[in-house]
Amino acid sequence: MKICVCVKQIPDPNIEVSKLDPATNRLVRTGVSLVLDPGDEGGVEAALLLQEKHGGEVVAVSMGPQTAQEALRRTLAMGADGAILISDPALAGADSLGTARALAAAIGREQPDLVICATESTDGYTGMVPGGIAQLLGMPALTFAREISIDGDTCTIHRVTPTGYQVVEATLPVVITVASGAYTPRYPSMKGIMASKKKPLSVLSMADLGLNASEVGEAGAKERVVSVSKIEARAAGRVIKDDGAAAVAIADFLDQYKLL
Amino acid sequence: MMADTIWVWVELNQGKPFRGSLEVLSKAAQLGAAEAVVFGSGARAAAPTLGAYGASKVYVHDDAAYDDYMAMPAAATLGALIEQQRPALLLFATTYDGRDVAARLSPMLGSGLITDATDFSLNGGELRVSVPWGGENIVTATLVHNGTKLVLFRPKAFALEEHSGITPTVEEVQASIDPALLRARITRRVEQAAEGPGLEDAAIIVSGGRGLGKPENFSVVEALANVLGGAVGATRAVVDAGWVPYSYQVGQTGKTVKPTLYIAVGISGAIQHLAGMKGSKYIVAINRDENAPIFSAADLGVVGDALTIVPQLTEELKRRKAAGG
Ligand SMILES: Cc1cc2nc3c(=O)[nH]c(=O)nc-3n(C[C@H](O)[C@H](O)[C@H](O)COP(=O)(O)OP(=O)(O)OC[C@H]3O[C@@H](n4cnc5c(N)ncnc54)[C@H](O)[C@@H]3O)c2cc1C
Ligand SMILES: Cc1cc2nc3c(=O)[nH]c(=O)nc-3n(C[C@H](O)[C@H](O)[C@H](O)COP(=O)(O)OP(=O)(O)OC[C@H]3O[C@@H](n4cnc5c(N)ncnc54)[C@H](O)[C@@H]3O)c2cc1C
């Protein structure tokens, strides 16, 4: 079985609040520490667990600047077998459609049985790339999975819903998105880190994939940011220290605003 | 080209139009000629309700094929209908299925899309969409292409508004569904019955965080929500730790909620959590650390031990309710 797992490199969400460049309205990616998206680490974990059970190969795929190689190296250190980076200056400023087109072009060449993504990225979080890839590759997309199993050529997931879950099945090949927090990613071992240095990581340009700038890069982007403004900060209210009467104070507050 | 026609994709929830879709329809009807599109069992029966929320026309395909996993068949039928009718805009409420359908339409039609939106305007036909971003910005975005533009809105972005007196024209969509599009099937639906209202609809939400210390202590939050008739929420930290299911998670990667009252118990107030609950009308926070960021968003902040205060509060509220009748 061949699994392609889509991974994105993003500004470390645990350290900084992502900023937009006021000139281009693009995400600031220089001078910030970049990491493999934590949601995508969950996708890599899901892929590796399936590989441990069913064998086959896991290939991580990313679109981004050259620095994204670091994120791909991390997936290799976790245990992926190979990695592909789609990188081309003309890809900067791609919207979700352009991103889906570029990823689908690279993934299509791999002819995977399974494509795994996170339900949404942590920085852009449109959540539209996986479904786009599925449409372009003619596959069903099984979304919001918190459990995945494969039996022969049938893939079954537990799909989180607002009130429980659905058991959904489809015949391979399929695209799956994993729900946030559903898979706890492993840490790369020392051995894994050493081994990752020898694993294949190929870098493809738009020309390599036969992609046209008018369709995928900023030139092809349909979505434009017009302006960015600050949300008015919510004024902080009253803060009291509990001296034994806090419960009564809260109840009074609720009474005052007719919230009971 | 019907330049001013705004389509709203209406999702059915057990045969009834989903509230979020009606919210979007209410807004669309204020800005232009709003028409609704609804597929699945009960689609036809839903038309009068959609008229009441402002649809002058309703496209229906009352076919049970969509009741199962609908993304592929719905995108195919909808895509063909759009090619025929070319509405200027197609709006969605953000739901699990709506997201799946929109994601497919974008490459199918070569249409751009904007997600996570909270508002939009059309000035002289120019689309402007507001997207809250990163907890502290509002991004105004637009879509620059000729075809139908796709926008997905957060729940509660708009108020419900009934319009009296509209009887919509009902147009039956002629479509046959290619069996090849029914490749994903739902084989079982499991409801994990939560008591009380769901997070999205609740007027009162009590949410717990890691400050509760251990999973068993989460019950103090549930007891408080119970006496208030509210729903229970949680931070990602406790969801990831497995204390409660993902469906409880409030925040950037969880649910966006807009209750009248939000009580944050043992929650630090990380920006990703704030992103999901800042729109609450009143916020009460209980936290041991007087420097916790949650206090900067709270109308009433209480510095103290949640495990002492919350049970006391629950008792106090029970007492007042009993006294007040
Ligand atoms: C503030 C802001 C708002 C934006 N709003 C919009 C918008 O409304 N519409 C729009 O079209 N674009 C928008 N964009 C651009 C969009 O974020 C980028 O196009 C991005 O490349 C793809 O979208 P995403 O990160 O939202 O992906 P998502 O669909 O949220 O990502 C889901 C998963 O797909 C995979 N994936 C996504 N991108 C990559 C990648 N580059 N490499 C490998 N795997 C990937 C990952 O597994 C990821 O977890 C916005 C960007 C910003 C910064
Ligand atoms: C990409 C990304 C997406 C995320 N999405 C979300 C999201 O959607 N929702 C979300 O919630 N988080 C999200 N997070 C996580 C977020 O950054 C925080 O880690 C999380 O919200 C913290 O949860 P917490 O407040 O429960 O825990 P902590 O940050 O550990 O805070 C616990 C608080 O409890 C207080 N406390 C301790 N003991 C007591 C006591 N006895 N009584 C009273 N107070 C006490 C402490 O002072 C502390 O402030 C996301 C993070 C990332 C990186």
Side-chain angles (χ1 to χ4, degrees):
Chain A
M1 191 169 61
K2 186 162 195 174
I3 305 175
C4 282
V5 53
C6 294
V7 301
K8 187 176 179 187
Q9 187 189 44
I10 62 165
D12 187 344
N14 289 312
I15 299 181
E16 40 218 329
V17 179
S18 296
K19 296 254 167 355
L20 295 175
D21 180 330
T24 61
N25 282 326
R26 287 189 203 156
L27 208 60
V28 176
R29 290 180 195 277
T30 48
V32 299
S33 72
L34 297 165
V35 295
L36 172 58
D37 190 319
D40 290 338
E41 284 188 352
V44 175
E45 181 64 32
L48 294 172
L49 289 175
L50 288 169
Q51 183 194 35
E52 279 161 15
K53 207 156 170 198
H54 302 282
E57 194 189 351
V58 173
V59 179
V61 185
S62 191
M63 178 190 98
Q66 292 292 338
T67 57
Q69 288 194 31
E70 295 155 25
L72 286 169
R73 282 285 167 214
R74 186 172 170 93
T75 68
L76 296 173
M78 286 173 76
D81 303 288
I84 299 168
L85 174 63
I86 310 161
S87 195
D88 198 309
L91 283 168
D95 62 0
S96 64
L97 174 56
T99 305
R101 282 179 172 150
L103 289 169
I107 292 168
R109 306 196 324 172
E110 298 295 309
Q111 306 215 311
D113 302 290
L114 208 57
V115 180
I116 298 183
C117 302
T119 51
E120 56 213 348
S121 75
T122 303
D123 64 343
Y125 58 93
T126 62
M128 292 292 129
V129 170
I133 295 172
Q135 176 65 25
L136 291 162
L137 296 177
M139 297 182 188
L142 309 184
T143 56
F144 295 94
R146 67 168 185 213
E147 228 179 275
I148 308 168
S149 60
I150 307 248
D151 184 6
D153 63 356
T154 302
C155 175
T156 305
I157 69 155
H158 284 192
R159 180 183 191 232
V160 180
T161 67
T163 53
Y165 66 94
Q166 300 165 339
V167 181
V168 186
E169 61 174 42
T171 309
L172 297 175
V174 299
V175 175
I176 290 182
T177 73
V178 297
S180 103
Y183 290 87
T184 308
R186 65 194 67 189
Y187 280 101
S189 64
M190 207 52 213
K191 200 167 138 238
I193 294 169
M194 296 312 291
S196 72
K197 303 205 161 98
K198 298 201 197 72
K199 292 180 179 173
L201 192 169
S202 52
V203 181
L204 304 176
S205 67
M206 286 181 19
D208 292 331
L209 291 170
L211 293 169
N212 189 319
S214 67
E215 291 206 304
V216 292
E218 180 166 37
K222 321 273 190 218
E223 191 256 350
R224 293 278 153 79
V225 172
V226 179
S227 64
V228 179
S229 58
K230 288 268 172 244
I231 293 175
E232 241 177 81
R234 207 189 152 101
R238 187 158 58 98
V239 178
I240 57 171
K241 281 212 165 74
D242 182 28
D243 53 5
V248 171
I250 298 172
D252 287 345
F253 176 89
L254 302 186
D255 253 345
Q256 183 190 343
Y257 291 104
K258 308 271 173 276
L259 298 166
L260 288 183
Chain B
M1 183 84 179
M2 298 185 289
D4 294 315
T5 309
I6 307 174
W7 277 13
V8 178
W9 165 252
V10 174
E11 199 170 312
L12 295 176
N13 203 340
Q14 291 170 336
K16 296 251 157 18
F18 172 62
R19 182 192 160 104
S21 308
L22 298 179
E23 290 166 4
V24 176
L25 182 56
S26 300
K27 174 72 178 184
Q30 288 171 8
L31 298 192
E35 303 184 347
V37 185
V38 57
F39 296 167
S41 304
R44 204 172 291 123
T49 309
L50 304 181
Y53 286 96
S56 55
K57 186 170 188 176
V58 183
Y59 291 90
V60 305
H61 197 210
D62 200 321
D63 189 322
Y66 304 103
D67 301 351
D68 214 14
Y69 206 80
M70 64 147 47
M72 289 182 96
T77 308
L78 192 50
L81 196 60
I82 289 171
E83 301 271 14
Q84 251 175 38
Q85 304 290 335
R86 303 187 179 277
L89 282 175
L90 170 60
L91 311 181
F92 293 80
T94 305
T95 61
Y96 290 41
D97 288 340
R99 274 174 50 145
D100 286 2
V101 172
R104 285 186 173 273
L105 280 177
S106 170
M108 186 185 285
L109 303 167
S111 289
L113 51 77
I114 296 178
T115 65
D116 206 38
T118 53
D119 202 1
F120 79 109
S121 64
L122 285 168
N123 281 335
E126 269 205 305
L127 174 69
R128 290 284 181 275
V129 183
S130 306
V131 184
W133 186 76
E136 55 180 28
N137 301 297
I138 294 262
V139 170
T140 303
T142 192
L143 292 167
V144 288
H145 62 95
N146 288 326
T148 303
K149 301 173 168 95
L150 313 175
V151 187
L152 289 84
F153 292 94
R154 288 189 185 179
K156 300 274 169 80
F158 308 114
L160 282 179
E161 195 185 315
E162 287 204 53
H163 303 242
S164 56
I166 302 186
T167 304
T169 325
V170 176
E171 182 153 331
E172 302 273 346
V173 177
Q174 303 304 320
S176 61
I177 297 166
D178 181 349
L181 297 174
L182 304 176
R183 278 163 63 193
R185 320 161 270 284
I186 299 174
T187 57
R188 199 150 56 93
R189 290 180 163 84
V190 181
E191 296 296 315
Q192 291 166 322
E195 284 175 27
L199 271 182
E200 281 99 338
D201 298 326
I204 296 182
I205 294 174
V206 186
S207 275
R210 192 148 54 187
L212 291 163
K214 53 181 179 190
E216 301 83 78
N217 291 340
F218 206 80
S219 59
V220 304
V221 165
E222 288 162 343
L224 177 57
N226 201 9
V227 56
L228 285 166
V232 179
T235 64
R236 170 147 159 197
V238 308
V239 169
D240 283 357
W243 297 9
V244 293
Y246 170 68
S247 56
Y248 284 45
Q249 184 177 315
V250 172
Q252 178 188 319
T253 47
K255 293 194 170 114
T256 303
V257 297
K258 229 175 177 179
T260 311
L261 171 66
Y262 190 89
I263 305 185
V265 180
I267 291 176
S268 59
I271 195 143
Q272 297 91 353
H273 187 77
L274 290 175
M277 46 67 79
K278 261 194 331 199
S280 308
K281 183 141 193 237
Y282 297 102
I283 298 174
V284 174
I286 305 169
N287 194 302
R288 217 164 45 179
D289 172 9
E290 61 182 306
N291 295 317
I294 190 79
F295 288 135
S296 65
D299 300 286
L300 176 63
V302 175
V303 182
D305 185 349
L307 296 175
T308 318
I309 297 168
V310 175
Q312 283 174 355
L313 176 59
T314 305
E315 287 313 309
E316 175 67 18
L317 296 178
K318 275 188 194 155
R319 206 181 54 70
R320 290 190 190 199
K321 286 206 158 172

Short mmCIF file of all heavy atoms in Angstrom, two decimals, chain A residues 13-14 38 122, chain B residues 209-211 234-238 249-254 266-270 272-273 286-289 292 304-307, ligand 2:
data_model
loop_
_atom_site.label_atom_id
_atom_site.label_comp_id
_atom_site.label_asym_id
_atom_site.label_seq_id
_atom_site.Cartn_x
_atom_site.Cartn_y
_atom_site.Cartn_z
N PRO A 13 3.14 27.80 16.01
CA PRO A 13 1.97 28.42 16.66
C PRO A 13 2.12 28.46 18.18
O PRO A 13 1.37 29.19 18.84
CB PRO A 13 0.82 27.50 16.26
CG PRO A 13 1.45 26.20 15.95
CD PRO A 13 2.83 26.48 15.46
N ASN A 14 3.06 27.70 18.72
CA ASN A 14 3.23 27.72 20.17
C ASN A 14 4.08 28.90 20.61
O ASN A 14 4.13 29.24 21.78
CB ASN A 14 3.86 26.42 20.66
CG ASN A 14 2.86 25.29 20.54
OD1 ASN A 14 1.71 25.42 20.96
ND2 ASN A 14 3.28 24.21 19.93
N PRO A 38 1.45 21.06 13.54
CA PRO A 38 1.11 20.01 14.52
C PRO A 38 -0.04 19.12 14.04
O PRO A 38 -0.07 17.92 14.34
CB PRO A 38 0.69 20.78 15.77
CG PRO A 38 1.07 22.19 15.56
CD PRO A 38 1.41 22.40 14.12
N THR A 122 -2.95 24.87 10.43
CA THR A 122 -3.02 25.72 11.61
C THR A 122 -2.84 27.20 11.25
O THR A 122 -3.28 28.06 11.99
CB THR A 122 -1.94 25.28 12.61
OG1 THR A 122 -2.19 23.90 12.90
CG2 THR A 122 -2.01 26.05 13.90
N GLY B 209 -10.99 23.68 31.62
CA GLY B 209 -9.64 23.54 31.10
C GLY B 209 -8.79 22.67 32.01
O GLY B 209 -9.28 22.09 32.98
N ARG B 210 -7.52 22.67 31.67
CA ARG B 210 -6.57 21.80 32.38
C ARG B 210 -6.46 22.15 33.86
O ARG B 210 -6.03 21.34 34.66
CB ARG B 210 -5.21 21.90 31.70
CG ARG B 210 -4.22 20.87 32.12
CD ARG B 210 -3.30 20.53 31.00
NE ARG B 210 -2.67 21.73 30.45
CZ ARG B 210 -1.91 21.72 29.37
NH1 ARG B 210 -1.66 20.61 28.75
NH2 ARG B 210 -1.39 22.84 28.91
N GLY B 211 -6.86 23.39 34.21
CA GLY B 211 -6.81 23.80 35.60
C GLY B 211 -7.66 22.94 36.52
O GLY B 211 -7.54 23.00 37.74
N ALA B 234 -14.92 22.78 26.33
CA ALA B 234 -13.60 22.41 26.87
C ALA B 234 -12.51 23.05 26.02
O ALA B 234 -12.76 23.50 24.91
CB ALA B 234 -13.44 20.90 26.86
N THR B 235 -11.31 23.07 26.57
CA THR B 235 -10.16 23.52 25.79
C THR B 235 -9.56 22.34 25.05
O THR B 235 -9.84 21.18 25.36
CB THR B 235 -9.06 24.12 26.68
OG1 THR B 235 -8.56 23.08 27.55
CG2 THR B 235 -9.59 25.27 27.52
N ARG B 236 -8.73 22.67 24.11
CA ARG B 236 -8.07 21.61 23.36
C ARG B 236 -7.15 20.78 24.27
O ARG B 236 -7.00 19.59 24.06
CB ARG B 236 -7.24 22.24 22.25
CG ARG B 236 -6.33 21.26 21.58
CD ARG B 236 -6.17 21.60 20.13
NE ARG B 236 -4.97 20.99 19.61
CZ ARG B 236 -4.40 21.36 18.48
NH1 ARG B 236 -4.91 22.35 17.78
NH2 ARG B 236 -3.33 20.76 18.05
N ALA B 237 -6.59 21.44 25.28
CA ALA B 237 -5.68 20.71 26.17
C ALA B 237 -6.40 19.52 26.80
O ALA B 237 -5.84 18.42 26.87
CB ALA B 237 -5.13 21.65 27.24
N VAL B 238 -7.63 19.71 27.26
CA VAL B 238 -8.30 18.58 27.90
C VAL B 238 -8.90 17.62 26.88
O VAL B 238 -9.02 16.42 27.15
CB VAL B 238 -9.38 19.04 28.94
CG1 VAL B 238 -8.79 20.03 29.93
CG2 VAL B 238 -10.60 19.62 28.29
N GLN B 249 -14.74 20.76 22.00
CA GLN B 249 -13.65 21.75 21.92
C GLN B 249 -14.10 23.09 21.35
O GLN B 249 -14.67 23.18 20.27
CB GLN B 249 -12.52 21.20 21.06
CG GLN B 249 -11.32 22.15 21.02
CD GLN B 249 -10.17 21.55 20.22
OE1 GLN B 249 -9.86 20.38 20.39
NE2 GLN B 249 -9.58 22.33 19.35
N VAL B 250 -13.78 24.13 22.09
CA VAL B 250 -14.07 25.50 21.67
C VAL B 250 -12.75 26.15 21.26
O VAL B 250 -11.76 26.03 21.98
CB VAL B 250 -14.69 26.29 22.85
CG1 VAL B 250 -14.82 27.77 22.49
CG2 VAL B 250 -16.05 25.70 23.22
N GLY B 251 -12.75 26.82 20.13
CA GLY B 251 -11.53 27.53 19.75
C GLY B 251 -11.24 27.46 18.27
O GLY B 251 -12.06 26.98 17.49
N GLN B 252 -10.07 27.93 17.94
CA GLN B 252 -9.67 28.05 16.54
C GLN B 252 -9.82 26.75 15.78
O GLN B 252 -10.27 26.72 14.65
CB GLN B 252 -8.21 28.50 16.49
CG GLN B 252 -7.65 28.60 15.09
CD GLN B 252 -6.15 28.86 15.11
OE1 GLN B 252 -5.66 29.64 15.92
NE2 GLN B 252 -5.43 28.18 14.25
N THR B 253 -9.41 25.65 16.40
CA THR B 253 -9.53 24.36 15.72
C THR B 253 -10.70 23.55 16.28
O THR B 253 -10.81 22.37 16.02
CB THR B 253 -8.21 23.56 15.81
OG1 THR B 253 -7.76 23.59 17.17
CG2 THR B 253 -7.15 24.17 14.93
N GLY B 254 -11.53 24.22 17.07
CA GLY B 254 -12.74 23.58 17.57
C GLY B 254 -13.94 24.39 17.12
O GLY B 254 -13.97 24.87 16.00
N GLY B 266 -10.76 27.28 34.97
CA GLY B 266 -9.43 26.68 34.90
C GLY B 266 -8.86 26.71 33.49
O GLY B 266 -8.21 25.77 33.04
N ILE B 267 -9.15 27.81 32.79
CA ILE B 267 -8.71 27.98 31.40
C ILE B 267 -7.75 29.17 31.34
O ILE B 267 -8.09 30.25 31.84
CB ILE B 267 -9.93 28.23 30.49
CG1 ILE B 267 -10.78 26.95 30.40
CG2 ILE B 267 -9.51 28.73 29.11
CD1 ILE B 267 -12.05 27.10 29.59
N SER B 268 -6.58 28.98 30.73
CA SER B 268 -5.58 30.05 30.74
C SER B 268 -5.99 31.22 29.84
O SER B 268 -5.69 32.36 30.12
CB SER B 268 -4.22 29.51 30.33
OG SER B 268 -4.28 28.96 29.03
N GLY B 269 -6.66 30.89 28.74
CA GLY B 269 -7.06 31.97 27.82
C GLY B 269 -6.08 32.12 26.67
O GLY B 269 -5.81 33.24 26.21
N ALA B 270 -5.55 31.00 26.18
CA ALA B 270 -4.66 31.03 25.01
C ALA B 270 -5.42 31.63 23.83
O ALA B 270 -6.63 31.48 23.72
CB ALA B 270 -4.21 29.61 24.67
N GLN B 272 -5.74 30.81 20.89
CA GLN B 272 -6.52 29.88 20.06
C GLN B 272 -7.85 29.54 20.73
O GLN B 272 -8.82 29.21 20.07
CB GLN B 272 -5.75 28.58 19.78
CG GLN B 272 -4.48 28.76 18.99
CD GLN B 272 -3.27 28.98 19.86
OE1 GLN B 272 -3.39 29.13 21.08
NE2 GLN B 272 -2.10 29.00 19.26
N HIS B 273 -7.88 29.57 22.04
CA HIS B 273 -9.16 29.33 22.73
C HIS B 273 -10.03 30.59 22.64
O HIS B 273 -11.21 30.50 22.30
CB HIS B 273 -8.93 28.93 24.19
CG HIS B 273 -10.21 28.52 24.88
ND1 HIS B 273 -10.79 27.30 24.69
CD2 HIS B 273 -11.03 29.20 25.70
CE1 HIS B 273 -11.92 27.24 25.37
NE2 HIS B 273 -12.10 28.38 26.00
N ILE B 286 -12.81 31.89 35.95
CA ILE B 286 -12.29 31.51 37.26
C ILE B 286 -10.92 30.88 37.05
O ILE B 286 -10.80 29.90 36.30
CB ILE B 286 -13.22 30.49 37.94
CG1 ILE B 286 -14.65 31.06 38.03
CG2 ILE B 286 -12.69 30.12 39.33
CD1 ILE B 286 -15.70 30.05 38.44
N ASN B 287 -9.91 31.47 37.65
CA ASN B 287 -8.54 30.98 37.43
C ASN B 287 -7.70 31.32 38.66
O ASN B 287 -7.86 32.39 39.25
CB ASN B 287 -7.95 31.62 36.18
CG ASN B 287 -6.69 30.91 35.71
OD1 ASN B 287 -5.72 30.79 36.47
ND2 ASN B 287 -6.70 30.44 34.48
N ARG B 288 -6.80 30.42 39.02
CA ARG B 288 -5.98 30.61 40.20
C ARG B 288 -4.92 31.70 40.00
O ARG B 288 -4.45 32.30 40.94
CB ARG B 288 -5.29 29.29 40.52
CG ARG B 288 -5.15 29.00 41.98
CD ARG B 288 -4.83 27.54 42.19
NE ARG B 288 -3.78 27.07 41.28
CZ ARG B 288 -3.32 25.81 41.30
NH1 ARG B 288 -3.78 24.94 42.18
NH2 ARG B 288 -2.40 25.43 40.46
N ASP B 289 -4.55 31.88 38.72
CA ASP B 289 -3.44 32.78 38.41
C ASP B 289 -3.97 34.16 38.01
O ASP B 289 -4.63 34.30 36.98
CB ASP B 289 -2.64 32.15 37.25
CG ASP B 289 -1.58 33.08 36.70
OD1 ASP B 289 -1.32 34.15 37.31
OD2 ASP B 289 -1.00 32.73 35.65
N ALA B 292 -3.52 35.33 34.42
CA ALA B 292 -3.99 34.51 33.29
C ALA B 292 -4.61 35.42 32.22
O ALA B 292 -5.40 36.31 32.54
CB ALA B 292 -5.02 33.49 33.79
N GLY B 304 -9.04 32.50 42.00
CA GLY B 304 -9.26 31.54 43.09
C GLY B 304 -9.28 30.12 42.58
O GLY B 304 -9.10 29.87 41.38
N ASP B 305 -9.50 29.18 43.50
CA ASP B 305 -9.46 27.76 43.17
C ASP B 305 -10.81 27.30 42.63
O ASP B 305 -11.81 27.31 43.34
CB ASP B 305 -9.08 26.97 44.44
CG ASP B 305 -8.91 25.49 44.14
OD1 ASP B 305 -9.27 25.04 43.03
OD2 ASP B 305 -8.41 24.77 45.02
N ALA B 306 -10.80 26.88 41.38
CA ALA B 306 -12.05 26.47 40.72
C ALA B 306 -12.71 25.31 41.45
O ALA B 306 -13.94 25.22 41.51
CB ALA B 306 -11.76 26.07 39.28
N LEU B 307 -11.90 24.44 42.01
CA LEU B 307 -12.48 23.24 42.63
C LEU B 307 -13.23 23.59 43.91
O LEU B 307 -14.08 22.83 44.36
CB LEU B 307 -11.39 22.20 42.90
CG LEU B 307 -10.74 21.67 41.62
CD1 LEU B 307 -9.60 20.73 41.94
CD2 LEU B 307 -11.78 21.00 40.73
C1 LIG C 2 -2.46 25.08 16.28
C2 LIG C 2 -3.13 25.15 17.57
C3 LIG C 2 -4.51 25.16 17.61
C4 LIG C 2 -5.16 25.21 18.84
N1 LIG C 2 -6.52 25.22 18.89
C5 LIG C 2 -7.12 25.31 20.11
C6 LIG C 2 -8.54 25.32 20.25
O1 LIG C 2 -9.29 25.24 19.29
N2 LIG C 2 -9.07 25.43 21.48
C7 LIG C 2 -8.29 25.51 22.60
O2 LIG C 2 -8.85 25.61 23.71
N3 LIG C 2 -6.97 25.47 22.50
C8 LIG C 2 -6.37 25.36 21.29
N4 LIG C 2 -5.02 25.28 21.23
C9 LIG C 2 -4.28 25.10 22.48
C10 LIG C 2 -4.03 26.39 23.20
O3 LIG C 2 -2.88 27.01 22.67
C11 LIG C 2 -3.79 26.12 24.69
O4 LIG C 2 -2.74 25.20 24.82
C12 LIG C 2 -5.01 25.55 25.40
O5 LIG C 2 -6.15 26.34 25.13
C13 LIG C 2 -4.73 25.55 26.88
O6 LIG C 2 -5.76 24.88 27.54
P1 LIG C 2 -6.04 25.15 29.07
O7 LIG C 2 -6.37 26.58 29.26
O8 LIG C 2 -7.07 24.14 29.47
O9 LIG C 2 -4.70 24.72 29.79
P2 LIG C 2 -3.51 25.56 30.39
O10 LIG C 2 -2.97 26.53 29.44
O11 LIG C 2 -2.62 24.55 30.98
O12 LIG C 2 -4.19 26.42 31.55
C14 LIG C 2 -4.70 25.92 32.73
C15 LIG C 2 -5.10 27.11 33.58
O13 LIG C 2 -5.74 26.65 34.76
C16 LIG C 2 -5.30 27.43 35.85
N5 LIG C 2 -5.50 26.62 37.05
C17 LIG C 2 -4.73 25.59 37.50
N6 LIG C 2 -5.27 25.05 38.59
C18 LIG C 2 -6.39 25.74 38.87
C19 LIG C 2 -7.37 25.66 39.88
N7 LIG C 2 -7.34 24.73 40.84
N8 LIG C 2 -8.38 26.55 39.85
C20 LIG C 2 -8.45 27.52 38.90
N9 LIG C 2 -7.54 27.62 37.91
C21 LIG C 2 -6.52 26.75 37.89
C22 LIG C 2 -3.90 27.80 35.54
O14 LIG C 2 -3.55 28.99 36.22
C23 LIG C 2 -3.91 27.97 34.04
O15 LIG C 2 -4.17 29.31 33.67
C24 LIG C 2 -4.39 25.24 20.02
C25 LIG C 2 -3.00 25.25 19.95
C26 LIG C 2 -2.36 25.20 18.74
C27 LIG C 2 -0.89 25.20 18.70
#
